[in-house]
Structure formats: C-alpha cells, structure tokens
Amino acid sequence: MGTVVEIATRTRKTNPQKYSIDPVKWLALSETTAGIPVGQESSLAYSAVYRAVSLISATLGICPLRLYRRSTRDGHAAREEVATHPVSRIVSVAPNDEQTPLAFKEHVGKCLCLWGNFYAELVRLRDTDGPVTGLYALEPEYVSIGRNQRNQIEYLYAPPDGVATMLSSAEVLHVPMLGSGIVGKSPIAVARESISLGLGLERFGAAFIRNSASPSGVLEYPGVMDAETMARLKDWLKTYTGATRSNKTLLLENGMTWKQVGVPPEDAQFLETRTFQVDEIARWFGVPPHMLAENTNSTYSNISHQEAEFKQYCMMQYFVRIEEEINRKLLWDEPELYVKFNVNAILRGVPEDRVKFYHEMFNMGALSTNDILELEDRNPVGEDGDQRFVPVNLASLRRMKMSESQPLSPLPTNTPSDDEPMMDDAPTDKSDDAQGMMRAVFREVVDRVVGKEIASLRSIVAKAEDKDRWIGDVRNFYVKHGEYAERQFVCVWRPLACRRGRPCNARPAAQRYANEACDQVLNMLRTHGRGAVLTLLAAWDATRVSMIADEYFEAYQEDSNAERN
C-alpha cells in the first residue's frame, strides 16, 4: 500500500463534504432478511465465498502479465516481448517496493470480488509528469468518486487514520466490475441475502450441535415452580446440553414431563439447503460448483467442460478489464505497446492438458519444437528446432511454400525404367524441393511409429500394477514394435534400394530404434518409476518425431551421397 504521507505530498486537498460516501459503504452496518449483517470482510467467514474469492484471486496471481510491442514479420502482424520498459518491471517484476506481482494481482482479484472496484495510485518518477515507477493499492472502502467543476473524475482517498487526499483520474488506476460504467457494483452487496442465509445455516448447525444435536422441547411442571427447584433444574440442564453431553438420561421430579416441540433438521431439509447455498454462491461469482467442493451434480465429462467455462466466462473478464485499464493509463502515449496475461499458465500444473495443447499447436504449425521447450523452461535444441510443420504430409511451412506448384508424388515401388528419371537425376535447381519432400515422407512414417509407441506405453503403464509387470509388458511390446517399425521404414528405404538394384532391408534401422527406445524406457522405469516414464512420453510427444525423422533422413542422405560418389 502507498503511505498516506507520500500521497499527501503529491496531491492537493479538497473538501470531503463535496463527495458522497460510496453506496456500498453502508453494507457493513446493514441487516439482512435473515438477520445477519454481511460486509465485504465478514462475508469471507462463509467458506463458499472465501473459496470463490481465493480461487479467482489466485488464478489472477499465477497468470504472468507481460508487456509486448506490436511489430511485423514477413509482412504479417507479430509481437515481441519488451523487458526494458519501466512498465514491464512494474507488471512482471515488482509493482512496488512492498509486494510481488503475484501478491499484487491476488489483491486486485480480492478487491474486485468483494468491492467490485480496484484502485491503485500511480507513483511517478518526477512527481506528476514522469514515467510511472510503481503502483500502490488503495483500500476501496476509503475511496469515493466525484467530479470537479470541469466535470472530470476525481478520487477522494480518506483512510480513518490518515489525511484525506485528492487524486486526479490520471493518478489512479481504477478497474471497475459490472456497474454504472464508471463505478463497479460490489458482488457482496448484491449477493448479501444469499450470503446471509448461508451464514445463518452455519450458525443454526453450530447451535444445533451445541444443544446436543436433538430437537428442542419444553419441560412441563404441574403447578408453580419455586426458586429452589428452578435453580436445581438449571444446574441439571447444564449437564445435559452440548454435543459432548448428549444421550444422557434426564431425571425429572415432582411430576415434571418432557414434551418435544422442535422440528428435526431432516424435516427442514437442512443439509439440502446448505448444499443449495453453495450453488448460489457459485452462481454469483461465475465459478463451477465443483471448484467450491460441491460435486453433487458433477461427472467426469462435465467437470472438464465446466473448467473450460471457468477460464472463458469467469476469468477472461478479469483479464481483459485489467489489461485495458493498464494500457489506458500507463501506455496511452505508446500505442504500439500493450500488456497481456498469459492464460496458458493455468495449464502449468496439468501435464496431460499441456501435452494435448502442445501437440495440437505443433501439428497446426503454431508452435515449433523450440517454442514448446521455451514454454516448458527448457533449453532449445538448435536452429532445427525453429522449424514449424503443418498437417497433411507434415512438411515444414517453408517447404510447403516452395512445393505448392509441385505436389508430392507417390514413391516408386519397383525399379524405375530407363526412360524414367532417377531422383538424383533431377535438375539441380529442384534438388531442394526433392529433399524437402523426402524429409516430409520420413517425418510422416516416423510419426506413425512414434504415435503408436507413445499410446501403447501409456496404456501399459496405466494398466500394470507393479514394476515387474511393467518391465515384462514393455519388453514384449518392443519385440512386436520393432517388426511394425520395419514395415513402416521399408517405404522410405525402398527408392534407394531400387536404384542400387538390391533388396530393401530396413530391419537394422528398425531394430536399433526399438532396442534404444526399450532400454531408455526400462532404465527410466527402474530408476524413477511410472511418473518419470509419463514425463518422458510427454517430452517424446512434443519432440521425438522431428528428432528421429531428421536423424534417419540425414543417414539416408549420407547413404545416397556415398552411392553417387
């Protein structure tokens, strides 16, 4: 938080009476229909509200916020990350000298969920005209908004233990939620009745347990009870009430009788009502119920869909509101710069989702091998890892552009006739095209072999129950997989064998592939267990096809060059 003294030295004072109290301030003192006051902070005592607020805030916190510059590359729009700009340090290193980016963004989320508004003072290098060097959050409870004589928005910050100060619109970063368009409406204010009912049910349950978890009733006494009998009865009741003193026998005297008058909680559908209130809170905050630990109507299939909706319909509004306000206030004079959340960070803790995302993005040419390694905080594999590939025959984008006018023709299955040109007889200016198409064929074949390998190993590791069973199943698989790889490799070794006039023999390459892979998997399994094998398969899914295809293609080229020489 920014200190009041610092703010006071940079701002001019105003008459506080000119500004009305924000409409949500009365909430902390107001009663609800259920009779339980609900305020922004007190609402966090309700577990469903606390979980919803912490979930949204934490999701905001873990998603990196980065500064980018718009640019062009090969005539197309592109972007590049900017790390030296002052705003980059604010959003990704330290928003101020008191908070980390995660803590700051979590506080932003909390303010938006509880108050519907987030305010932060923009601290500048040279008082008011220099670049912004920090953001200091202001408590929404003590901020009121008004307009000056020029109809410009101003913010009155009046903490109870400090000096009331005035901040202009240019000095405040203000992120509002749904409301008037200028000021957001507090979600707690509009949901106070639902929260109050939830808190009331918790108090009812606690009182029910405290009073022996049994129905209420009355003691009937014939006649008038004297003071001595009344005092003795009160002492007796102290030994019979409370959860730890339930089920004891009550001794009644002088004709006194017990009459039950309470309604059992099951008749009042107490538990069902509590469950419904969790759904209510989930509705208010746009959070799937299963994320608030309410799984009554959840299944494996709809949970996955609900998680996608949480990212798209709940979190996206927070991301966009924050991005737009930072761009408007901190980068208004540099339109080529903008900030953006990396929402893919949500996948960071789910390996299966990351693998699926990388696989799909790689196969559509959106990510290269090095791009994936960078996202995984790993070192690149060199220049070859920068190539991108597209579907159909999975050729590189550059090769596809070069060969658009000359589609890939099927490989010959027999020795070419005398009037058919050999591959190495092609004109020299088309040799690159031939090599690119041949590389694409290698990649297509290896993709089939590796895809079958990864799917089978995942199935083995998932079904087996002990290490010995895994080892046996892996060995048996690779015996058969070597034969499968041989049948696949034949189609890429056949043209060279046909030119030599000798039979095609892909067995050595296939056996070497199977033996090396089997040894690697078994070593990983024996040393580190199933989790390490799954991690290895995830890495294979992203990079193994290109690495193996390039290795075999280079060997093919060397063999072909040796034949020419």
Side-chain angles (χ1 to χ4, degrees), residues 232-281:
R232 190 166 61 251
L233 177 62
K234 290 180 178 179
D235 291 337
W236 285 349
L237 290 177
K238 290 179 182 179
T239 65
Y240 295 108
T241 58
T244 60
R245 297 181 289 272
S246 61
N247 300 321
K248 290 185 177 181
T249 303
L250 179 64
L251 298 178
L252 303 176
E253 60 181 22
N254 299 330
M256 187 180 300
T257 59
W258 167 263
K259 183 177 180 181
Q260 179 176 318
V261 297
V263 179
E266 58 268 26
D267 293 345
Q269 294 184 329
F270 171 69
L271 295 178
E272 290 82 352
T273 305
R274 289 202 66 187
T275 299
F276 177 77
Q277 285 310 111
V278 175
D279 287 336
E280 277 282 278
I281 299 304

Side-chain angles (χ1 to χ4, degrees), residues 401-473:
K401 291 178 181 178
M402 294 173 58
S403 58
E404 282 179 352
S405 59
Q406 185 179 356
L408 183 65
S409 58
L411 292 173
T413 58
N414 300 311
T415 304
S417 59
D418 293 338
D419 56 345
E420 290 180 337
M422 299 287 188
M423 291 185 67
D424 52 352
D425 293 333
T428 55
D429 59 342
K430 294 185 179 181
S431 59
D432 288 343
D433 287 353
Q435 289 185 8
M437 290 185 288
M438 198 63 198
R439 185 188 293 270
V441 175
F442 269 86
R443 183 176 180 83
E444 184 176 3
V445 170
V446 174
D447 183 62
R448 289 197 296 267
V449 175
V450 173
K452 179 180 177 64
E453 179 181 19
I454 292 175
S456 299
L457 289 176
R458 281 178 176 157
S459 177
I460 291 172
V461 175
K463 293 179 180 178
E465 299 177 355
D466 56 73
K467 188 175 293 187
D468 292 338
R469 173 83 177 276
W470 290 334
I471 293 174
D473 289 348

Side-chain angles (χ1 to χ4, degrees), residues 12-322:
R12 53 191 173 83
K13 300 199 174 59
T14 186
N15 179 9
Q17 311 227 347
K18 174 182 173 185
Y19 286 76
S20 60
I21 298 297
D22 193 288
V24 301
K25 299 292 193 303
W26 61 269
L27 182 59
L29 303 176
S30 67
E31 292 285 340
T32 60
T33 304
I36 299 177
V38 174
Q40 276 75 10
E41 295 298 329
S42 64
S43 66
L44 294 176
Y46 187 28
S47 61
V49 173
Y50 182 89
R51 175 56 181 159
V53 173
S54 64
L55 181 65
I56 293 173
S57 302
T59 304
L60 270 177
I62 65 175
C63 290
L65 185 60
R66 297 287 185 259
L67 178 66
Y68 297 98
R69 174 180 284 109
R70 296 180 179 88
S71 61
T72 58
R73 184 181 302 169
D74 297 331
H76 298 283
R79 70 175 185 180
E80 56 183 0
E81 186 173 347
V82 180
T84 57
H85 196 280
V87 173
S88 177
R89 184 183 181 280
I90 292 174
V91 300
S92 61
V93 180
N96 52 59
D97 57 3
E98 299 172 351
Q99 292 176 298
T100 64
L102 186 147
F104 185 83
K105 288 179 286 185
E106 276 190 330
H107 185 71
V108 174
K110 176 189 172 186
C111 291
L112 294 178
C113 289
L114 297 182
W115 294 94
N117 295 274
F118 170 75
Y119 307 94
E121 184 198 7
L122 306 180
V123 179
R124 299 184 182 275
L125 183 62
R126 292 182 294 275
D127 198 7
T128 59
D129 59 347
V132 176
T133 58
L135 297 174
Y136 286 85
L138 306 175
E139 290 295 338
E141 183 177 3
Y142 308 122
V143 177
S144 297
I145 301 179
R147 293 186 181 272
N148 58 22
Q149 295 179 351
R150 290 173 294 179
N151 202 33
Q152 296 173 331
I153 294 176
E154 291 184 332
Y155 299 85
L156 175 65
Y157 185 54
D161 56 349
V163 180
T165 59
M166 180 66 67
L167 297 169
S168 68
S169 178
E171 296 174 292
V172 176
L173 184 77
H174 177 200
V175 182
M177 293 298 288
L178 179 66
S180 65
I182 302 298
V183 183
K185 187 178 290 292
S186 167
I188 302 301
V190 295
R192 63 185 182 276
E193 293 292 348
S194 297
I195 298 172
S196 177
L197 178 56
L199 290 171
L201 289 169
E202 286 190 347
R203 295 186 184 183
F204 171 78
F208 183 76
I209 296 297
R210 184 186 63 216
N211 293 313
S212 304
S214 58
S216 301
V218 295
L219 291 172
E220 294 184 347
Y221 184 80
V224 180
M225 186 178 296
D226 56 42
E228 181 180 356
T229 304
M230 177 66 74
R232 190 166 61 251
L233 177 62
K234 290 180 178 179
D235 291 337
W236 285 349
L237 290 177
K238 290 179 182 179
T239 65
Y240 295 108
T241 58
T244 60
R245 297 181 289 272
S246 61
N247 300 321
K248 290 185 177 181
T249 303
L250 179 64
L251 298 178
L252 303 176
E253 60 181 22
N254 299 330
M256 187 180 300
T257 59
W258 167 263
K259 183 177 180 181
Q260 179 176 318
V261 297
V263 179
E266 58 268 26
D267 293 345
Q269 294 184 329
F270 171 69
L271 295 178
E272 290 82 352
T273 305
R274 289 202 66 187
T275 299
F276 177 77
Q277 285 310 111
V278 175
D279 287 336
E280 277 282 278
I281 299 304
R283 249 191 307 273
W284 281 113
F285 286 96
V287 175
H290 78 272
M291 289 188 169
L292 304 185
E294 167 39 42
N295 299 311
T296 303
N297 298 317
S298 298
T299 64
Y300 178 81
S301 58
N302 67 21
I303 279 181
S304 178
H305 184 68
Q306 289 178 47
E307 289 177 348
E309 288 184 340
F310 169 70
K311 300 168 190 174
Q312 182 175 359
Y313 298 115
C314 176
M315 292 309 306
M316 195 56 66
Q317 62 171 322
Y318 292 92
F319 295 141
V320 174
R321 291 177 192 275
I322 296 171

